[in-house]
Protein backbone atom coordinates (compact mmCIF):
# COMPACT_ATOMS: atom_id res chain seq x y z
CA UNK A 1 0.00 0.00 0.00
CA UNK A 2 2.86 2.32 0.87
CA UNK A 3 4.40 1.83 -2.61
CA UNK A 4 1.11 2.77 -4.28
CA UNK A 5 0.80 5.91 -2.17
CA UNK A 6 4.36 6.97 -3.01
CA UNK A 7 3.71 6.32 -6.71
CA UNK A 8 0.53 8.42 -6.56
CA UNK A 9 2.40 11.28 -4.87
CA UNK A 10 5.14 11.09 -7.51
CA UNK A 11 2.63 11.23 -10.39
CA UNK A 12 0.75 14.15 -8.79
CA UNK A 13 4.01 16.03 -8.24
CA UNK A 14 5.03 15.49 -11.85
CA UNK A 15 1.63 16.72 -13.08
CA UNK A 16 1.81 19.88 -10.92
CA UNK A 17 5.37 20.67 -12.02
CA UNK A 18 4.37 20.34 -15.68
CA UNK A 19 1.42 22.72 -15.19
CA UNK A 20 3.70 25.63 -14.32
CA UNK A 21 6.63 27.54 -15.77
CA UNK A 22 9.34 28.99 -13.55
CA UNK A 23 10.74 32.38 -14.58
CA UNK A 24 13.39 33.61 -12.15
CA UNK A 25 11.75 33.76 -8.71
CA UNK A 26 8.22 33.54 -10.14
CA UNK A 27 6.08 30.58 -11.08
CA UNK A 28 3.52 31.14 -13.82
CA UNK A 29 0.70 28.72 -14.62
CA UNK A 30 0.80 27.12 -18.06
CA UNK A 31 -2.88 27.98 -18.55
CA UNK A 32 -5.44 30.45 -17.21
CA UNK A 33 -9.13 31.03 -17.79
CA UNK A 34 -10.28 34.56 -18.55
CA UNK A 35 -13.88 35.45 -19.34
CA UNK A 36 -14.71 31.76 -19.68
CA UNK A 37 -11.97 31.19 -22.26
CA UNK A 38 -9.05 28.89 -21.50
CA UNK A 39 -5.74 30.43 -22.51
CA UNK A 40 -2.34 28.74 -22.84
CA UNK A 41 0.99 30.27 -21.94
CA UNK A 42 2.47 31.44 -25.24
CA UNK A 43 5.78 32.46 -23.70
CA UNK A 44 7.26 34.04 -20.59
CA UNK A 45 10.32 35.99 -19.58
CA UNK A 46 11.76 38.52 -17.18
CA UNK A 47 11.43 42.32 -17.38
CA UNK A 48 14.83 43.67 -16.46
CA UNK A 49 16.19 47.14 -15.96
CA UNK A 50 19.97 47.40 -16.04
CA UNK A 51 20.82 44.19 -14.13
CA UNK A 52 17.75 44.02 -11.87
CA UNK A 53 14.81 41.65 -12.37
CA UNK A 54 11.55 43.62 -11.97
CA UNK A 55 8.77 41.21 -12.92
CA UNK A 56 8.15 37.95 -14.71
CA UNK A 57 5.76 38.40 -17.59
CA UNK A 58 3.70 35.81 -19.41
CA UNK A 59 1.51 36.09 -22.49
CA UNK A 60 -1.58 33.85 -22.65
CA UNK A 61 -3.40 33.16 -25.92
CA UNK A 62 -6.13 30.86 -27.23
CA UNK A 63 -3.51 29.27 -29.51
CA UNK A 64 0.24 29.71 -29.86
CA UNK A 65 1.35 32.64 -32.00
CA UNK A 66 4.69 34.37 -32.56
CA UNK A 67 3.38 37.21 -34.76
CA UNK A 68 3.40 40.31 -32.55
CA UNK A 69 1.33 42.45 -34.91
CA UNK A 70 -1.33 39.75 -35.29
CA UNK A 71 -1.57 39.39 -31.50
CA UNK A 72 -1.81 43.15 -30.94
CA UNK A 73 -4.55 43.53 -33.58
CA UNK A 74 -6.56 40.41 -32.71
CA UNK A 75 -10.03 40.89 -31.28
CA UNK A 76 -9.87 37.74 -29.18
CA UNK A 77 -9.50 36.96 -25.49
CA UNK A 78 -5.89 37.03 -24.28
CA UNK A 79 -3.97 38.02 -21.17
CA UNK A 80 -0.70 39.22 -19.75
CA UNK A 81 0.44 38.08 -16.30
CA UNK A 82 2.94 40.28 -14.46
CA UNK A 83 4.43 38.70 -11.33
CA UNK A 84 6.38 41.33 -9.37
CA UNK A 85 9.73 39.92 -8.16
CA UNK A 86 11.42 43.12 -6.94
CA UNK A 87 10.78 45.56 -4.15
CA UNK A 88 12.00 48.26 -6.55
CA UNK A 89 8.62 48.20 -8.34
CA UNK A 90 6.40 50.79 -6.69
CA UNK A 91 3.06 52.29 -7.63
CA UNK A 92 4.76 55.51 -8.71
CA UNK A 93 7.32 53.67 -10.86
CA UNK A 94 4.64 51.43 -12.41
CA UNK A 95 2.52 54.46 -13.35
CA UNK A 96 5.60 56.14 -14.87
CA UNK A 97 6.36 52.98 -16.84
CA UNK A 98 2.75 52.87 -18.08
CA UNK A 99 3.08 56.46 -19.35
CA UNK A 100 6.36 55.63 -21.09
CA UNK A 101 4.91 52.40 -22.49
CA UNK A 102 1.84 54.01 -24.05
CA UNK A 103 4.00 56.81 -25.44
CA UNK A 104 6.27 54.25 -27.13
CA UNK A 105 3.38 52.04 -28.25
CA UNK A 106 1.52 54.95 -29.84
CA UNK A 107 4.55 56.80 -31.25
CA UNK A 108 3.95 59.73 -28.89
CA UNK A 109 0.37 60.31 -30.06
CA UNK A 110 -1.67 59.21 -27.03
CA UNK A 111 -4.32 61.97 -27.16
CA UNK A 112 -7.05 59.68 -28.51
CA UNK A 113 -6.73 57.44 -25.44
CA UNK A 114 -5.72 59.94 -22.72
CA UNK A 115 -8.84 59.39 -20.58
CA UNK A 116 -8.56 55.59 -20.80
CA UNK A 117 -4.83 55.72 -20.02
CA UNK A 118 -5.52 57.82 -16.91
CA UNK A 119 -8.18 55.32 -15.83
CA UNK A 120 -5.74 52.43 -16.41
CA UNK A 121 -3.00 54.11 -14.36
CA UNK A 122 -5.48 54.34 -11.48
CA UNK A 123 -5.50 50.52 -11.35
CA UNK A 124 -1.90 50.71 -10.04
CA UNK A 125 -2.44 53.43 -7.44
CA UNK A 126 -2.53 51.06 -4.44
CA UNK A 127 0.77 49.97 -2.93
CA UNK A 128 2.67 47.44 -5.04
CA UNK A 129 4.89 44.94 -3.26
CA UNK A 130 7.11 42.04 -4.25
CA UNK A 131 4.95 38.95 -5.00
CA UNK A 132 1.95 40.98 -6.26
CA UNK A 133 0.51 39.48 -9.43
CA UNK A 134 -1.32 41.55 -12.04
CA UNK A 135 -3.44 39.91 -14.72
CA UNK A 136 -4.23 42.21 -17.63
CA UNK A 137 -6.85 40.45 -19.74
CA UNK A 138 -8.55 41.50 -22.92
CA UNK A 139 -11.91 39.74 -22.96
CA UNK A 140 -13.61 39.78 -26.34
CA UNK A 141 -16.88 41.68 -26.13
CA UNK A 142 -16.02 43.26 -22.76
CA UNK A 143 -12.64 44.98 -23.04
CA UNK A 144 -9.56 45.10 -20.87
CA UNK A 145 -9.95 43.84 -17.30
CA UNK A 146 -7.18 44.23 -14.71
CA UNK A 147 -6.83 41.96 -11.68
CA UNK A 148 -4.45 42.39 -8.76
CA UNK A 149 -3.78 39.20 -6.83
CA UNK A 150 -6.92 37.66 -8.34
CA UNK A 151 -9.25 40.55 -7.48
CA UNK A 152 -10.69 42.69 -10.27
CA UNK A 153 -9.59 46.33 -9.94
CA UNK A 154 -11.25 47.71 -13.06
CA UNK A 155 -12.03 47.44 -16.74
CA UNK A 156 -11.79 49.58 -19.85
CA UNK A 157 -13.83 49.04 -23.02
CA UNK A 158 -12.43 49.25 -26.51
CA UNK A 159 -10.25 47.31 -28.92
CA UNK A 160 -8.28 50.52 -29.60
CA UNK A 161 -7.15 50.60 -25.97
CA UNK A 162 -6.23 46.90 -26.02
CA UNK A 163 -4.10 47.37 -29.13
CA UNK A 164 -2.14 50.23 -27.56
CA UNK A 165 -1.84 48.37 -24.25
CA UNK A 166 -0.50 45.11 -25.71
CA UNK A 167 1.79 47.25 -27.88
CA UNK A 168 3.65 48.22 -24.69
CA UNK A 169 5.09 44.69 -24.54
CA UNK A 170 4.74 43.51 -28.13
CA UNK A 171 5.03 46.65 -30.28
CA UNK A 172 7.90 47.98 -32.37
CA UNK A 173 9.38 49.81 -29.35
CA UNK A 174 8.61 47.37 -26.50
CA UNK A 175 9.29 47.90 -22.81
CA UNK A 176 11.93 45.13 -23.00
CA UNK A 177 13.11 43.49 -26.25
CA UNK A 178 14.11 40.23 -24.55
CA UNK A 179 10.77 39.99 -22.72
CA UNK A 180 8.92 40.55 -26.02
CA UNK A 181 10.84 37.71 -27.68
CA UNK A 182 10.22 35.46 -24.68
CA UNK A 183 6.47 36.21 -24.64
CA UNK A 184 6.33 35.41 -28.35
CA UNK A 185 7.97 32.05 -27.60
CA UNK A 186 11.07 32.89 -29.60
CA UNK A 187 13.68 32.02 -26.97
Amino acid sequence: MKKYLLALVAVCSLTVSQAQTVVGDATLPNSVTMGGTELALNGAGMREKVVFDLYAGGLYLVSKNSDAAAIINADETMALKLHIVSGMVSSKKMIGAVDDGFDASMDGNTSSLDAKIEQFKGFFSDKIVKTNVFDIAYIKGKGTVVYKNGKEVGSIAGLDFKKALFGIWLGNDPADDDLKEAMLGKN
Side-chain angles (χ1 to χ4, degrees):
M1 182 68 169
K2 215 175 198 184
K3 282 197 292 191
Y4 293 114
L5 184 58
L6 288 174
L8 180 61
V9 168
V11 168
C12 289
S13 297
L14 181 60
T15 303
V16 169
S17 68
Q18 291 176 342
Q20 300 175 342
T21 297
V22 176
V23 180
D25 291 339
T27 302
L28 303 177
N30 286 344
S31 66
V32 297
T33 301
M34 296 288 173
T37 301
E38 185 164 338
L39 305 171
L41 182 62
N42 193 69
M46 189 64 66
R47 168 69 168 108
E48 299 171 334
K49 192 149 191 174
V50 188
V51 295
F52 300 103
D53 291 345
L54 301 178
Y55 60 81
L59 173 65
Y60 293 83
L61 303 173
V62 172
S63 57
K64 296 272 188 179
N65 192 337
S66 62
D67 183 340
I71 295 166
I72 289 169
N73 292 307
D75 184 13
E76 66 179 42
T77 300
M78 61 184 66
L80 294 161
K81 184 176 287 289
L82 310 179
H83 187 123
I84 309 299
V85 297
S86 171
M88 295 182 351
V89 178
S90 66
S91 176
K92 182 178 178 179
K93 288 180 181 176
M94 181 68 90
I95 290 169
V98 166
D99 275 330
D100 293 344
F102 276 109
D103 192 52
S105 175
M106 299 179 72
D107 296 322
N109 186 15
T110 61
S111 61
S112 65
L113 294 178
D114 280 346
K116 291 180 178 183
I117 292 169
E118 286 304 312
Q119 181 184 357
F120 183 75
K121 291 188 315 188
F123 301 158
F124 300 97
S125 61
D126 286 347
K127 184 176 182 177
I128 296 174
V129 297
K130 186 176 177 178
T131 72
N132 281 164
V133 177
F134 290 93
D135 290 295
I136 302 169
Y138 175 75
I139 299 172
K140 184 175 180 167
K142 181 174 183 179
T144 301
V145 183
V146 178
Y147 303 87
K148 181 179 181 183
N149 301 324
K151 181 181 176 189
E152 185 176 329
V153 293
S155 64
I156 299 172
L159 181 59
D160 58 343
F161 180 78
K162 176 264 182 183
K163 289 179 180 181
L165 177 63
F166 277 69
I168 292 173
W169 291 274
L170 303 175
N172 294 330
D173 187 11
D176 184 304
D177 290 316
D178 292 336
L179 178 57
K180 173 183 175 178
E181 294 298 305
M183 286 181 165
L184 292 174
K186 293 184 175 182
N187 51 333

